[in-house]
Amino acid sequence: MIFKRVKSLNGELNIPGDKSVSHRSIMMGAIAEGITEVYGFLNGADCISSMNCFRQMGVDIEYDETIVTIHGNGLHGLKKPTGTLDVGNSGTTTRLMSGILAAQPFTSRIIGDASICKRPMKRIMTPLHQMGADITSERGNDCAPLIIKGQPLKGIHYDSPVASAQVKSCILFAGLYADGITSVTEPYLSRNHTELMFQSFGVPISTEGTTVTITPAQKLVGQKIMVPGDISSAAYFIVAGLITPDSCITIKNVGINPTRDGILEVVEKMGGNISYSNVSKDGEPTCDITVQTSELTGCVIEGEIIPKLIDEIPIIAVLACFAKGTTIIKDAAELKVKESNRIDEMVNNLSAMGADITATEDGMIINGGRTLHGAVINSKLDHRIAMSFAIAGLNADGETEIIGADNVETSYPAFYSDLNKLMR
Ligand code: S3P
């Protein structure tokens, strides 16, 4: 797909549902009693992978494009999967579902695409082994394919070396089935959608600082879930509105959970013209966000804000190329183990477009202000690389060609048509 400089971007958008919340709604609905109705479910390949895996375990899930209806099997009602569970490109499905599978009275096998088969699973295998789980990597490289032989589990306390909601949530799902209490402490607080949703399904769970504690539940009660718009998807339009000349974009119903809103803080710190309206604080908080073309200044992004914007760093790197001065991103080594090595992909590809950007051990340094020019970008099975370079390409001289552009299917199938709507 080819992108060329655009004069301006204007209009209003509804972005698709939050990926993290959508995954969790399937998993909790599947093991709850009664019916769970999900409104605003993300119809992206990753969440459909979660849906199909639980269907393979005997859960009846209807999807009519506007509402997902899950007929829960109850905590102990999942069936041995009808075959290998294919998670596609989805790390969230792999890691969260493993916590559930570790406690089931059957054996399951998880496979995924080439990107998934390179992503580290030791981070969940270590705590699950401590709980008594039997989970192995088929190729002995601590990556998928994974074989999980369900076992009785015991509660543990786990000090996680990484601030990862996938690791935390895996342990919490396993803890739901364990004998005794389970707690997880993380270096910094990661997204807390699992905790909030468990609470609404009636599971005893509490948070103190960066420690979450779960008490095994007797049952989960089916719920009605309103999925907010995904701030990680909104991020592309937030940045597009700020860096494209003569632009004003309003993005409606964006989830602004405080464990996810780091990009807003960064935009404010860089001097971006951003405003909020229609704030709603029921359940997962949401609001409408309006951005306008802005004069931006670089800043330092480090420490506890990193987990709150980890998925937005690729597009923040693009933003930093359009800011005056230097932006330094630190403490973000986790970027190396996402769908692609996002430090290398952003640094190499933005350099190819003429940016002044250098990789560091745990992030990158960007000296903004250079005019970008087109290049050929390979998205490397990473939806966020494709979307970031689409926005960069609209603000670069010449042609930017993205190879593998269609992998936006992972989290935002309508990305290009939504972008087109703003060009009119
Ligand atoms: C997610 C957690 C984050 C994030 C991913 C979704 C989740 O991953 O990058 O896109 O839904 O729990 P980590 O837990 O690996 O940080």
Side-chain angles (χ1 to χ4, degrees), residues 15-29 36-52 54-55 61-70 93 197 225-230 253 410-411 413:
I15 37 140
D18 187 278
K19 184 157 79 68
S20 296
V21 174
S22 297
H23 280 296
R24 286 156 175 79
S25 70
I26 294 290
M27 299 190 193
M28 290 194 201
T36 292
E37 287 180 342
V38 190
Y39 295 83
F41 183 81
L42 169 61
N43 184 13
D46 268 22
C47 299
I48 299 297
S49 293
S50 281
M51 186 183 272
N52 287 338
F54 281 85
R55 280 178 171 155
I61 306 175
E62 297 160 56
Y63 188 15
D64 76 358
E65 302 303 319
T66 52
I67 162 170
V68 176
T69 308
I70 308 162
T93 310
M197 206 182 283
I225 297 170
M226 310 299 287
V227 181
D230 198 327
N253 186 38
T410 296
S411 64

Side-chain angles (χ1 to χ4, degrees), residues 190-364:
S190 65
R191 64 191 67 189
N192 66 357
H193 306 298
T194 304
E195 294 90 307
L196 295 178
M197 206 182 283
F198 266 145
Q199 242 161 26
S200 69
F201 276 80
V203 176
I205 190 159
S206 61
T207 303
E208 220 181 295
T210 60
T211 300
V212 184
T213 305
I214 185 165
T215 306
Q218 296 306 310
K219 64 171 184 177
L220 277 71
V221 183
Q223 295 296 308
K224 182 173 160 181
I225 297 170
M226 310 299 287
V227 181
D230 198 327
I231 191 166
S232 301
S233 298
Y236 303 98
F237 297 104
I238 292 175
V239 170
L242 293 168
I243 67 173
T244 310
D246 302 319
S247 297
C248 179
I249 304 175
T250 295
I251 313 142
K252 307 200 57 130
N253 186 38
V254 183
I256 47 165
N257 177 315
T259 62
R260 292 284 299 282
D261 66 356
I263 187 171
L264 306 180
E265 209 178 296
V266 166
V267 166
E268 285 167 24
K269 211 162 139 184
M270 291 175 100
N273 187 338
I274 186 164
S275 60
Y276 313 99
S277 55
N278 290 328
V279 179
S280 155
K281 295 203 166 140
D282 290 344
E284 290 276 357
T286 58
C287 75
D288 298 346
I289 295 177
T290 300
V291 284
Q292 281 178 303
T293 314
S294 301
E295 293 280 317
L296 302 157
T297 316
C299 71
V300 178
I301 305 168
E302 62 181 336
E304 68 179 0
I305 198 172
I306 295 295
K308 299 184 190 181
L309 47 67
I310 189 72
D311 291 342
E312 289 68 80
I313 293 178
I315 191 65
I316 289 174
V318 173
L319 179 68
C321 292
F322 290 83
K324 256 189 273 148
T326 304
T327 295
I328 303 174
I329 301 174
K330 293 186 206 171
D331 305 318
E334 274 294 297
L335 291 176
K336 296 179 187 171
V337 292
K338 294 295 179 189
E339 286 84 329
S340 68
N341 179 332
R342 288 181 177 161
I343 295 182
D344 285 355
E345 295 310 322
M346 291 314 297
V347 171
N348 295 340
N349 289 319
L350 280 172
S351 297
M353 293 182 79
D356 178 352
I357 177 168
T358 315
T360 61
E361 266 304 285
D362 62 351
M364 49 193 107

Side-chain angles (χ1 to χ4, degrees), residues 16 56 59 77 123 248 253 381 394 398 424:
Q56 269 184 266
V59 184
R123 53 181 57 201
C248 179
N253 186 38
L381 288 176
L394 296 182
R424 268 185 243 128

